[in-house]
Amino acid sequence: MSRYKPLSDELDPCARQLVEQLRRLKDQGELTMRHLAAKTGYSARSWERYLGGTSLPPREALEALARITGADPVPLIALHEIAADTWDNRRPQPDVEPEPAPHEQEQEQEAEQEPVTLIGPTTPPAAAPVPGRFPHIALTAGVIALAVALSAALLLMLRLDDGVTQAAVAAPPSTAAASPSPSYTCRIARVDGRWSAGINEGRNDEIVYGATGADVAEAQCLLRRAGISPGGIDGMFGPLTLRAVKTFQQRSGLVVDGMLGPRSWKALRG
C-alpha cells in the first residue's frame, strides 16, 4: 500500500472522505501514478495533488478511476458535489490594523494642533532644468517598464505551466470523445463445444500484462463467466485483469504466471 502524507486538518470532512476513497481505490487496484495517468488522461502530477488533498479532482477523473477499478461512481460523485461547495471557503481573513492606544491618540492630536513655524521661503524656487537629464530619465523609465513586462511574462508562464501540462495529457480523452474507443459486449455462448464471448472469433493467441484489444476483452468476458471479476470489459490487460487471470490459473491447477497461453485459454473455454 502506498504511503501518503497526512491530510490537512483544515480539509472539509467530505473532501477528506473523498480523498480517502480515492486512495483506497488506487491501492486496491494496485495502480501507480503512471497507470492513473495512462488510463484516466490526467497527469501523474495532477493525481499527486488529488490524492494529497491539495486540489479537488474533476468529476471526469473520478468517473475514470471508478471505471478502471470496477467501483460504483455514484458515492464518489456525491462526495465530490458536497466537497466542491466548501473547497474554496477556507480563505484567510484580512489583517485588521490595531487601533493606537489612548495616550498615542492624544499625542497625535497634540501634534496636529501644534503650530508649525516655517524658516525661509514657504515656496521653494523652481529648479533650473539640468542639461541632459531628460534623456537619462526616459532611459531609466524604459528599463523599468521592460523589467515589469518581463516579470509579468515570467509569472504568466509559471501559472500556465501546470495548465499546459494537464492539457497536453488530457488531449487523449478529448480525442477519445471525438473517436470513442472500441466498445466490447460479452455474448457468451457454446460454439463447437467451447465457450465463446463472440469478440475475437475464437482465437487463442497468447496475451500478457499490458496487452490491449479484442483478445483481452474475450478473456475478460470468459473470466467473468467463470465467476472471477476482471474489472470492466475494456480490452486492457491491467492490474485487475492480471489478478483475475492468476486466480483462475490457481483454481484450475495451472502454472500461475499471469499469462494467457494455450492451456489457460483451453481451461477458460471449457
Side-chain angles (χ1 to χ4, degrees):
M1 181 177 294
S2 302
R3 295 183 179 180
Y4 302 101
K5 294 182 179 179
L7 297 175
S8 172
D9 295 335
E10 299 180 358
L11 200 61
D12 179 79
C14 291
R16 176 183 294 273
Q17 186 176 356
L18 175 62
V19 175
E20 291 174 349
Q21 289 287 346
L22 296 180
R23 291 179 173 182
R24 181 179 61 81
L25 291 177
K26 172 185 176 297
D27 292 338
Q28 288 181 350
E30 298 179 358
L31 299 170
T32 64
M33 293 298 180
R34 294 180 60 187
H35 287 147
L36 289 175
K39 291 178 177 291
T40 65
Y42 291 86
S43 65
R45 185 174 170 186
S46 297
W47 276 109
E48 289 177 359
R49 295 197 302 270
Y50 302 156
L51 298 175
T54 59
S55 180
L56 182 66
R59 175 171 174 170
E60 291 77 6
L62 304 182
E63 294 174 345
L65 179 59
R67 176 178 59 81
I68 64 177
T69 57
D72 184 6
V74 175
L76 297 178
I77 294 174
L79 287 173
H80 179 272
E81 292 179 353
I82 299 175
D85 294 335
T86 59
W87 190 271
D88 295 327
N89 291 338
R90 298 172 287 111
R91 301 179 183 273
Q93 297 297 327
D95 295 334
V96 179
E97 183 178 356
E99 296 184 357
H103 68 279
E104 295 177 352
Q105 295 179 354
E106 294 177 357
Q107 293 176 358
E108 292 177 359
Q109 293 175 357
E110 292 176 356
E112 293 176 355
Q113 296 174 359
E114 183 178 358
V116 178
T117 303
L118 297 178
I119 301 177
T122 57
T123 304
V130 180
R133 184 177 181 183
F134 179 76
H136 176 72
I137 295 176
L139 179 60
T140 303
V143 172
I144 294 175
L146 179 60
V148 171
L150 291 176
S151 300
L154 179 59
L155 179 61
L156 181 60
M157 291 176 61
L158 292 175
R159 294 184 62 182
L160 292 180
D161 176 66
D162 183 62
V164 172
T165 302
Q166 183 170 347
V169 178
S174 62
T175 304
S179 301
S181 301
S183 177
Y184 301 103
T185 302
C186 299
R187 297 182 177 88
I188 303 298
R190 294 285 285 183
V191 179
D192 296 333
R194 300 189 308 163
W195 289 110
S196 171
I199 297 178
N200 74 339
E201 300 179 353
R203 293 191 301 271
N204 293 332
D205 296 340
E206 182 178 288
I207 54 176
V208 297
Y209 182 79
T212 60
D215 292 340
V216 179
E218 177 88 4
Q220 290 172 333
C221 291
L222 296 177
L223 286 168
R224 180 172 291 181
R225 187 207 68 81
I228 305 173
S229 174
I233 309 300
D234 55 5
M236 301 177 65
F237 201 138
L240 297 180
T241 301
L242 177 63
R243 181 185 300 176
V245 170
K246 290 184 177 180
T247 301
F248 177 79
Q249 290 174 333
Q250 185 176 10
R251 291 182 183 179
S252 302
L254 301 171
V255 176
V256 182
D257 55 7
M259 298 187 298
L260 276 175
R263 293 185 178 179
S264 296
W265 275 112
K266 182 178 181 181
L268 273 177
R269 296 193 183 279

